Amino acid sequence: MTFSFAHNNLNVLDLEKSLAFYQEALGLREVRRKEAADGSFTLVYLSDGSRPHQLELTWLRDRTEPYDLGDNEIHLAFETDDMDAAHQKHQEMGCICHENPGMGIYFISDPDGYWLEIVPAKPAK
């Protein structure tokens, strides 16, 4: 028996704002969508186009309060082949929430306060 990643889920309050953020900040694009017949929820799956793993954004119609992210110790990480350009872009967007220069990484925060780690791509072997 084997397992492989399919997707991660984040619940969001403003789906359109989140979609715009993930497109601009990380280049993720919508690859599929599922909407409840009664309009109570929408699931949108995003992809970077290079790997099968997807990010599922869930919007719930009746949710009006921000999500409690606790200590926000759980996060997603994204690799980039150009840390300097990525950092500059995220700095211009005003979404950098924590930097760790010693480790060569930083975090950005999405519209709902989820932290996303930005790490340099590993060199090809």
Side-chain angles (χ1 to χ4, degrees):
M1 180 182 326
T2 62
F3 297 92
S4 59
F5 278 108
H7 66 267
N8 287 88
N9 167 263
L10 297 176
N11 284 27
V12 300
L13 280 180
D14 184 330
L15 183 57
E16 294 311 312
K17 186 175 182 180
S18 293
L19 287 171
F21 173 84
Y22 282 95
Q23 162 109 29
E24 182 179 355
L26 300 167
L28 301 183
R29 300 202 185 281
E30 181 176 336
V31 292
R32 65 186 168 109
R33 179 182 289 240
K34 177 178 172 66
E35 297 179 353
D38 65 0
S40 62
F41 70 85
T42 301
L43 308 177
V44 177
Y45 295 86
L46 305 177
S47 172
D48 65 8
S50 68
R51 298 177 184 177
H53 191 93
Q54 297 177 348
L55 175 61
E56 174 191 341
L57 300 181
T58 298
W59 172 82
L60 303 173
R61 177 187 61 205
D62 296 333
R63 181 70 184 212
T64 58
E65 297 297 318
Y67 289 94
D68 179 358
L69 303 182
D71 293 333
N72 212 2
E73 289 295 328
I74 296 173
H75 63 270
L76 303 177
F78 291 85
E79 288 183 341
T80 180
D81 61 355
D82 191 337
M83 284 293 283
D84 292 335
H87 188 273
Q88 181 177 341
K89 176 182 194 59
H90 295 143
Q91 195 166 38
E92 290 168 2
M93 290 178 66
C95 61
I96 296 175
C97 58
H98 180 74
E99 296 187 61
N100 187 329
M103 291 181 68
I105 63 169
Y106 67 93
F107 291 81
I108 60 176
S109 180
D110 86 348
D112 289 280
Y114 293 105
W115 283 28
L116 310 163
E117 184 179 5
I118 308 301
V119 302
K122 293 177 179 74
K125 291 183 178 184

